[in-house]
Each structure stands twice: as C-alpha cells, then as structure tokens.
Amino acid sequence: MAPQKSPFVLETCARPNILALEPYRCARDDYKDDGTNILLDANENAYGPGLALDSNGNFVNGEINGTEGGGKGSAVDLLGLNRYPDPHQDELKQQICGFRNTHTHTTRTLKPENLFVGVGSDEAIDAVLRCFCRPGHDRILTCPPTYGMYAVSAQVNDVDIVKVPLDVTNHFALRPSAINDTLAQDPSIKLVYVTSPGNPTATMISKDALREVLEHPTWNGVVVLDEAYIDFSPDGSSLAEWVLEWPNLIVMQTLSKAFGLAGIRLGTAFTSAPIARLLNNLKAPYNISSPTSSLAIAAMQPHNLQIMRKYRAAILEQRDRMLTEMPKIPGVGRSLGGCDSNFLLVEMLDGPAGKPSNEVALAVYHALAERKGVVVRFRGKELGCEGCLRITVGTETEVDRFLEEIGRVLGDIYRGRERVDKQGEEREERKANDVVA
C-alpha cells in the first residue's frame, strides 16, 4: 500500500513544553546493573525491604495480606488480582497515619482524611502542581540545590519556576526572609517546595524557618515539605502531623527510602482535609495497586517495623563510619551540608590537599562505575556543590569496597594513570549532573 499524505505533524500538534522535555535520566541509564555492581547512586536502602523475609523472599511468619497467619504465604492476595484495588485505600491510610501520630508537634491526630497516597512521591509532586497551578500563568518556588523532579513536573505542567537558593555558606540552610520577600513581590507563586532533609544536601530544615514562611502575612499559597529521607533523621523530626496546625502545609513522604520498598512505588502526602479532598478528587480512580497496598500495610506491622529500624540503625552506623574514614583518604575534601540522611555530599579535590574540582569528581564518577563497578552520583553542577559526589550509604561490605576503590581511583588520577578529560569536561559534567533522582 502506497504511503498516504497525512495532515498530522507531531511538532505542531504536541504541546511545545512537552516537545522541549528532556527524558528522565538516572545513573543506571549510563551504567546498567549486571548484578555485581555496588549501587550507591539512588539512595535506596541497601539492606533490603523492611519486611521479615527469609533468604528466598518468603515471609518468615507466613504473613498473608499484611497480617500474621498460618502457613507459608505472601502479603499479596494473588487470587484477588482479577479485581480492581480499593480506590480509597482507607486501611492503608489508617496504618500510615498511626505510624506518624507521634504527638510531637501537635495534640491533634492524623486521620485518613488527611492523606493522599500516590505512585511514589512523584505522583504527589505532580498532583499538587495540577491542583494549584494554572498552566502558563502560575509559578512555583524552589530552593536549589534540590530534587530535580520539581522542575521536571513543572515543565510538564507548563509552570515557571522562581528560585531562592539555600544558603550555601551556612550548611544549605533555608532563607525564609528571602523567600517571603519573593512571595510578597510575586502573587503568581502558588507553591513553595522545600526538601528536608535536602537532596543532595542531607540537611534538615529548621522548624522555625518553615514557620516563618507559613506565617507570611499576605501570600495565598501552599508550602510543600518533602520528607523523603526523614526516617534517617532523629526520632520526632517529621512534621507530618504539623499539617493539622496549618491549612496550607503539605508534607510528602515515601516508602522508597528507609522502608526499603522503592519497588512498590508508594508515596504519601499529609495535609489538611480540604486539600487532601482536592488531591484525591483529581487522582486516577485505582492509582494504588493491590500488591502495593498489601505490602505497604505489611510494612506497617510492628514486627516488620522492627526490621526497618534494624536496617536503619545499620545504615546510620555505616554513615558514621564513612564520615570518619573518608577524610583520611588523600583527595577527599569536606562533607558538605548535613548528615541527616542515608547519603553524603562529598568534595573531590584536585590534589591530596587541593581545591574542589569538577574535573576530578567527574573522573572519579566514571572510573568507579566503569572500572570498579561502584556507581555513585555526580552533583558538581549544582549550586554550592563544586567537585561533589553524592554517595549513598551501603552495607558494611559495600562501604568496605567503596572506601578501598575511591582511594585507588584518586591515587591513579594524581599519578596520571587515570585520565581527566578537560576538553569534554563541560559536556560530560552537564550530562552526569542532569541525572534527576
């Protein structure tokens, strides 16, 4: 059949902001996992899911549908997969609220009506944008260096970004006065995205700084606090229940990090009941699958929470070990920001006692991945992060190998055995830094 002429032209039919989108990239687009690599790039829980599993992946206590029962089983009702999942997820929401009701920041109690659950935090980020921002008109405010998905989601929704950087001279602290001045001057800003602990900074944002923004006298908008890594911070740090005290606060969390359940894609957004109602009204009717819901409920059971906390303690022990051992390696500089997460932001120097260098950091990034099988994250193009790698805390064995290999790679660079590509550095830096997660 001869090709027919069509009036369809993709470039003029699709939305311009979508045509301009760069595809989502992660480090594993460049370095595939062959089963032997040490993956210290995506801030996952290296010890595994926070579930009581045996070496074959079976529940050791025969859990079925999140409760303890007899016989060997799974947390997923396989025979029920022919039916659509619960569109409201009330049981899951109740379990999550129960976990976060610490009454540290309020005497009130979170209820399912205060909760939105989505496919990872990314669905919540997008849902909030769609709920409050008119495409081509409203704006959001971000505080770089920060999580890249805010910008990706804003571009998808044709929403501009106003940036008020963190204080790079003060451990990446929030600058509430500068934020408030910006909000007073631009009423089109509807959302302020704040990450605590920060990514890639690992710095906790102070409650007082956040309060200062929430108390803005004229701004009609919403503060979105992203607490993806909050469970690696001291107990009582989460401000999830604080949404009961503020009508315009949203606190996002995920089971992908401390809970070790990145594969089930479950994110949450705590907020006032009226905002939660809007978010739940605009979501797809069956956005959370039955397996995801069942495994998340299982993770909230006391015996599985013990597993999560055991793995968390092991991660924090290895984090402290890395903070102690890395400065002893010639060519490793300061650990910037904070240490309230399961990763560190660390400088690579242009000599054993030199200055932070993007060229060296990029060479270390490539050499570790390509020749040593250790994948980390280059962040040198982020504001205030010159020469920095972001390194996820791994298991004890993984940290052993990482410390050994990064010392060897830096030594090879300084002896001229490892090539530093100055000519293509700018292009390669931007490519490596464009990784989002």
Side-chain angles (χ1 to χ4, degrees):
M1 181 177 177
Q4 297 185 8
K5 189 173 181 179
S6 170
F8 173 72
V9 180
L10 178 64
E11 290 72 19
T12 56
C13 186
R15 292 164 55 194
N17 59 304
I18 301 301
L19 290 169
L21 268 179
E22 292 294 328
Y24 182 100
R25 290 186 64 250
C26 69
R28 288 170 214 177
D29 288 330
D30 298 329
Y31 301 113
K32 306 297 184 187
D33 178 26
D34 62 1
T36 64
N37 290 340
I38 292 178
L39 303 176
L40 306 180
D41 61 313
N43 299 340
E44 297 150 323
N45 186 327
Y47 284 88
L51 300 170
L53 305 173
D54 64 23
S55 59
N56 295 316
N58 297 312
F59 281 92
V60 297
N61 50 16
E63 277 186 282
I64 299 176
N65 297 330
T67 59
E68 293 186 24
K72 186 179 278 189
S74 163
V76 179
D77 177 13
L78 299 177
L79 293 176
L81 292 180
N82 60 316
R83 302 298 182 189
Y84 286 110
D86 177 3
H88 306 295
Q89 296 294 335
D90 287 333
E91 181 184 0
L92 172 60
K93 291 177 180 178
Q94 186 60 61
Q95 294 279 344
I96 294 172
C97 287
F99 177 70
R100 291 301 178 193
N101 276 321
T102 64
H103 298 113
T104 303
H105 304 283
T106 182
T107 58
R108 302 178 185 181
T109 299
L110 289 165
K111 299 177 181 178
E113 65 194 41
N114 297 113
L115 195 55
F116 167 86
V117 291
V119 182
S121 296
D122 296 337
E123 183 178 359
I125 292 168
D126 182 71
V128 172
L129 268 162
R130 289 188 290 127
C131 185
F132 290 100
C133 295
R134 291 167 292 175
H137 185 276
D138 294 322
R139 298 179 176 184
I140 67 170
L141 187 149
T142 65
C143 301
T146 192
Y147 181 41
M149 274 305 296
Y150 310 142
V152 172
S153 191
Q155 186 174 357
V156 168
N157 288 283
D158 198 15
V159 171
D160 287 339
I161 300 175
V162 177
K163 298 178 181 180
V164 177
L166 299 172
D167 187 348
V168 299
T169 66
N170 185 27
H171 305 288
F172 298 101
L174 196 70
R175 299 165 57 220
S177 295
I179 291 173
N180 283 350
D181 289 345
T182 303
L183 296 177
Q185 295 167 14
D186 190 348
S188 71
I189 298 173
K190 293 296 182 68
L191 302 172
V192 174
Y193 280 96
V194 177
T195 311
S196 181
N199 178 9
T201 67
T203 298
M204 284 287 294
I205 299 300
S206 79
K207 185 178 178 181
D208 287 341
L210 198 68
R211 186 198 307 272
E212 192 173 334
V213 178
L214 287 164
E215 289 178 341
H216 195 292
T218 62
W219 178 57
N220 180 26
V222 177
V223 174
V224 184
L225 181 65
D226 189 341
E227 289 190 341
Y229 299 96
I230 198 65
D231 291 304
F232 297 107
S233 304
D235 289 344
S237 296
S238 174
L239 297 178
E241 60 187 11
W242 213 31
V243 302
L244 299 172
E245 302 294 332
W246 301 94
N248 61 330
L249 175 62
I250 297 174
V251 176
M252 299 188 304
Q253 296 179 351
T254 179
L255 297 192
S256 296
K257 306 302 180 183
F259 281 85
L261 293 171
I264 73 171
R265 309 303 299 126
L266 196 285
T268 60
F270 298 88
T271 188
S272 64
I275 291 180
R277 194 175 304 117
L278 293 179
L279 297 176
N280 284 305
N281 286 346
L282 65 83
K283 75 173 183 66
Y286 306 111
N287 63 326
I288 303 300
S289 73
S290 297
T292 290
S293 178
S294 296
L295 288 167
I297 290 171
M300 293 294 154
Q301 304 311 303
H303 53 286
N304 287 324
L305 289 174
Q306 288 180 1
I307 300 295
M308 182 273 284
R309 290 174 177 130
K310 181 181 77 171
Y311 289 164
R312 179 182 63 186
I315 289 169
L316 299 187
E317 180 180 351
Q318 293 307 310
R319 182 185 70 190
D320 292 344
R321 178 183 167 215
M322 290 172 68
L323 284 167
T324 299
E325 297 298 325
M326 289 189 68
K328 300 176 183 178
I329 300 172
V332 173
R334 298 170 299 171
S335 178
L336 301 185
C339 53
D340 291 306
S341 191
N342 69 330
F343 60 86
L344 297 172
L345 184 68
V346 182
E347 294 174 329
M348 301 292 110
L349 308 180
D350 60 7
K355 299 179 296 184
S357 167
N358 275 354
E359 293 177 0
V360 172
L362 192 66
V364 172
Y365 165 71
H366 285 306
L368 282 175
E370 293 169 7
R371 285 181 277 288
K372 306 298 184 180
V374 179
V375 185
V376 296
R377 186 65 55 82
F378 174 78
R379 295 284 81 175
K381 284 299 186 182
E382 300 284 345
L383 180 70
C385 302
E386 182 177 0
C388 281
L389 299 177
R390 194 196 71 190
I391 305 157
T392 304
V393 178
T395 64
E396 181 177 3
T397 301
E398 290 173 338
V399 171
D400 286 343
R401 184 168 153 193
F402 164 75
L403 292 171
E404 179 182 353
E405 299 294 9
I406 195 171
R408 286 178 177 171
V409 166
L410 282 165
D412 287 344
I413 288 173
Y414 300 145
R415 288 189 292 269
R417 297 174 183 172
E418 196 69 58
R419 180 169 170 263
V420 177
D421 182 10
K422 295 186 178 182
Q423 201 168 28
E425 180 222 348
E426 181 70 22
R427 179 188 67 253
E428 286 299 311
E429 281 181 16
R430 294 201 176 279
K431 179 181 176 185
N433 207 78
D434 283 344
V435 169
V436 173

